[in-house]
Amino acid sequence: MRQRDPFGSAVTSLREALEQGLAPGQHLPVADIAASLKLSTSPVREALSRLCGEGLVEDRRGLGYFTRPAPVEDIVGLLDLEAAHVRLAATCSAAAPPLSDGSDAAVETWIVALLDHCESQPLVESLMRVRRRLAPLRRLNGPISPSGGPELDYLDAYYARWRTAAGGLAARVRRLNADGSEYIRNIV
């Protein structure tokens, strides 16, 4: 049975895959995506072209389509946006537990608990979108150890560590080998 809207199916599947966190700068082979979606390459190319227009994907003439790279400015901007969201969620959540440790794992756990107690659904949804964009970068980098010494504000220290790591992370993303990165043929 033929699909009614192969273009719509391709756009939806690709958008979901991008939101779930493909590595920045990752190659998106049209033929592989079309095969995994059981579509011809035409609707996949059209979908990728639409996503290019939305700024989610870039078309490198002669090379194909790639996820957007992550320059240092974008990474730092996303970290600042996430920090602002988290601070706002903390003011909206009186029942959230206090942050007692400055490690990445403790802060991440605290943010999840904070989201569970936040009463502003639009704020939670917006924060989740930002966290999905940062997730592949955090996986690529791994956890960052807290520096020695007493930290007065664990959250400030957490974001300061990630801002410091942003330069090295952006450089690693630029050097990411498309064959070595984990492109899963059935991501969509």
Side-chain angles (χ1 to χ4, degrees):
M1 174 179 251
R2 289 189 80 187
Q3 290 184 348
R4 287 185 140 165
D5 184 18
F7 168 74
S9 171
V11 168
T12 302
S13 297
L14 286 165
R15 192 182 310 272
E16 286 173 4
L18 289 167
E19 285 180 358
Q20 291 182 6
L22 295 175
Q26 186 171 348
H27 185 240
L28 300 170
V30 174
D32 290 349
I33 295 170
S36 70
L37 292 173
K38 296 180 176 81
L39 296 173
S40 71
T41 58
S42 294
V44 172
R45 280 188 218 290
E46 290 175 29
L48 287 167
S49 180
R50 162 80 59 89
L51 295 174
C52 279
E54 294 176 12
L56 298 174
V57 172
E58 65 180 28
D59 181 6
R60 298 182 192 164
R61 298 288 176 207
L63 298 174
Y65 293 94
F66 292 81
T67 56
R68 279 192 52 220
V72 176
E73 299 82 20
D74 285 359
I75 297 171
V76 171
L78 283 170
L79 288 167
D80 290 344
L81 184 59
E82 182 187 45
H85 277 81
V86 167
R87 281 182 172 51
L88 185 57
T91 63
C92 296
S93 307
L99 179 58
S100 60
D101 182 359
S103 69
D104 282 3
V107 173
E108 293 290 326
T109 302
W110 179 76
I111 290 172
V112 170
L114 186 66
L115 290 174
D116 289 341
H117 292 93
C118 185
E119 296 172 7
S120 172
Q121 192 59 35
L123 177 62
V124 170
E125 290 171 5
S126 181
L127 178 55
M128 292 307 297
R129 278 194 299 274
V130 172
R131 290 181 58 78
R132 277 195 300 268
R133 295 257 331 260
L134 285 169
L137 299 169
R138 286 195 168 121
R139 283 192 305 267
L140 184 62
N141 193 68
I144 302 173
S145 300
S147 58
E151 298 291 349
L152 297 177
D153 186 351
Y154 293 128
L155 196 58
D156 282 340
Y158 171 79
Y159 285 110
R161 287 192 309 269
W162 277 102
R163 276 188 211 91
T164 303
L169 187 55
R172 286 184 65 201
V173 167
R174 282 193 300 272
R175 290 190 308 266
L176 193 63
N177 178 1
D179 295 331
S181 68
E182 257 186 59
Y183 178 79
I184 303 166
R185 289 182 183 263
N186 57 358
I187 59 166
V188 286

